[in-house]
Amino acid sequence: MSEQNNKPDVDIEKLNDRKKRDIEAKKQLARYKAMDPAERAKLEVKKKEFTEPASAKSDIANFWFHYKWLVIAIAFLIVVAVFCVMEIVKKDKYDLEFMYISSENYDHTVIEALSDDLSEYVEDYDNNSQKQVGITAVTNSDSMADANTAMANKTKLYASFSKGYHMVYFIDEDTYDYLTEEGASFYDLSEFSDSENIEQDKYYVSSNSAFSALSGLDNASSMIMVLRRLEDIPKNDKESVIEEYEHNVEFVKAILAND
């Protein structure tokens, strides 16, 4: 065997590539050494920003950017589900349930006092020897500081109308305007009474002693009672829904008789 055949094979192409990389590295090192200290400092900062792993804060911000609406939708569904379960449970406790909606913040003690006063105007429909009224209260305002509370209130309001949990509402004029602009419609109460406090589907409650608990509110004079129309309530062909609606009508008539 010849001496030439005993020499190891050399990959000329790989050898040339390595020489080129070595030459380029030496050039970069020379450029780096030629930089003034300020330029070197800027380069080091950029290298750190490029190689440093993302912080937990940036990870959260990135997640929120991509999945914000999904998170909001899930939160909305959870609130609706919880509210629905609560309403189903409460129906076994109260003879009638109403919703109180105001554009201003409310006091829970006022709502409790109102519930006690209005219980005198309902019948013992569940035959438990007690007349009890339940009132779900929400604030309808986009200016609330707590965004989560604002969303929860909007969700309760939506569920109340879409599921038909309530048929009688105690609301202020701002809320009435909001609801009617959103497509809500109410029963013409002038068919039940010729009271001067009735304006078609609105009954102003401030002069009715049944609503004395609201007298200290800033918007007491603008508080009104409205009754949903049966045809607008979900499952209005069910016997249980029709019966509940009749009970609410009886309550409205009893309130108007006390005017």
Side-chain angles (χ1 to χ4, degrees):
M1 186 177 292
S2 67
E3 185 179 350
Q4 183 177 0
N5 291 337
N6 289 332
K7 291 182 180 180
D9 294 333
V10 177
D11 190 331
I12 302 299
E13 188 174 339
K14 286 185 177 179
L15 184 61
N16 290 336
D17 286 342
R18 188 168 63 182
K19 286 181 178 180
K20 289 179 181 179
R21 289 196 299 269
D22 290 342
I23 293 172
E24 182 60 29
K26 289 178 181 179
K27 288 181 179 180
Q28 290 182 4
L29 180 60
R31 286 196 294 267
Y32 179 78
K33 289 181 177 179
M35 290 180 180
D36 60 45
E39 289 178 329
R40 288 185 186 180
K42 289 180 181 179
L43 183 61
E44 291 299 325
V45 170
K46 287 183 179 180
K47 283 174 61 180
K48 185 177 180 181
E49 290 177 350
F50 182 77
T51 58
E52 193 175 66
S55 65
K57 185 176 181 180
S58 64
D59 285 343
I60 293 172
N62 186 56
F63 176 85
W64 183 247
F65 176 79
H66 289 287
Y67 301 104
K68 175 175 67 176
W69 294 113
L70 176 62
V71 172
I72 291 175
I74 293 173
F76 176 82
L77 293 175
I78 291 173
V79 173
V80 169
V82 171
F83 179 72
C84 292
V85 171
M86 290 177 62
E87 289 302 313
I88 292 172
V89 172
K90 285 164 63 180
K91 281 189 180 295
D92 295 332
K93 181 179 179 181
Y94 300 114
D95 295 294
L96 284 180
E97 280 196 84
F98 311 123
M99 178 169 266
Y100 173 96
I101 315 169
S102 174
S103 56
E104 299 183 6
N105 292 329
Y106 60 88
D107 187 333
H108 287 283
T109 59
V110 171
I111 302 303
E112 291 172 2
L114 179 62
S115 299
D116 292 339
D117 292 342
L118 295 183
S119 64
E120 298 181 17
Y121 299 87
V122 303
E123 299 298 326
D124 182 19
Y125 295 117
D126 55 8
N127 298 313
N128 66 348
S129 301
Q130 291 181 320
K131 296 196 296 182
Q132 292 181 298
V133 164
I135 298 180
T136 300
V138 298
T139 302
N140 180 49
S141 174
D142 293 328
S143 61
M144 295 185 68
D146 188 347
N148 293 328
T149 302
M151 186 185 76
N153 284 335
K154 292 286 186 182
T155 302
K156 290 178 182 179
L157 185 55
Y158 165 80
S160 173
F161 274 83
S162 63
K163 302 295 184 181
Y165 289 133
H166 307 96
M167 301 176 184
V168 172
Y169 293 81
F170 310 122
I171 59 181
D172 57 14
E173 289 177 321
D174 289 341
T175 301
Y176 175 87
D177 292 340
Y178 168 80
L179 293 175
T180 52
E181 287 172 3
E182 290 294 316
S185 57
F186 303 103
Y187 195 90
D188 186 353
L189 299 180
S190 63
E191 295 185 14
F192 298 149
S193 171
D194 57 359
S195 168
E196 61 182 12
N197 293 314
I198 292 177
E199 291 184 7
Q200 295 182 324
D201 57 356
K202 297 183 288 185
Y203 171 65
Y204 288 85
V205 304
S206 59
S207 62
N208 193 314
S209 60
F211 295 88
S212 59
L214 305 180
S215 60
L217 301 180
D218 294 336
N219 61 344
S221 61
S222 71
M223 293 300 299
I224 57 180
M225 178 179 69
V226 293
L227 169 69
R228 291 191 72 182
R229 300 187 306 172
L230 179 59
E231 56 265 36
D232 297 332
I233 297 173
K235 301 179 181 178
N236 54 39
D237 57 341
K238 289 183 63 176
E239 184 177 343
S240 59
V241 174
I242 295 173
E243 182 180 27
E244 184 179 357
Y245 188 79
E246 290 173 349
H247 293 165
N248 278 270
V249 169
E250 290 173 2
F251 166 79
V252 170
K253 288 180 177 180
I255 291 294
L256 295 178
N258 187 62
D259 183 63

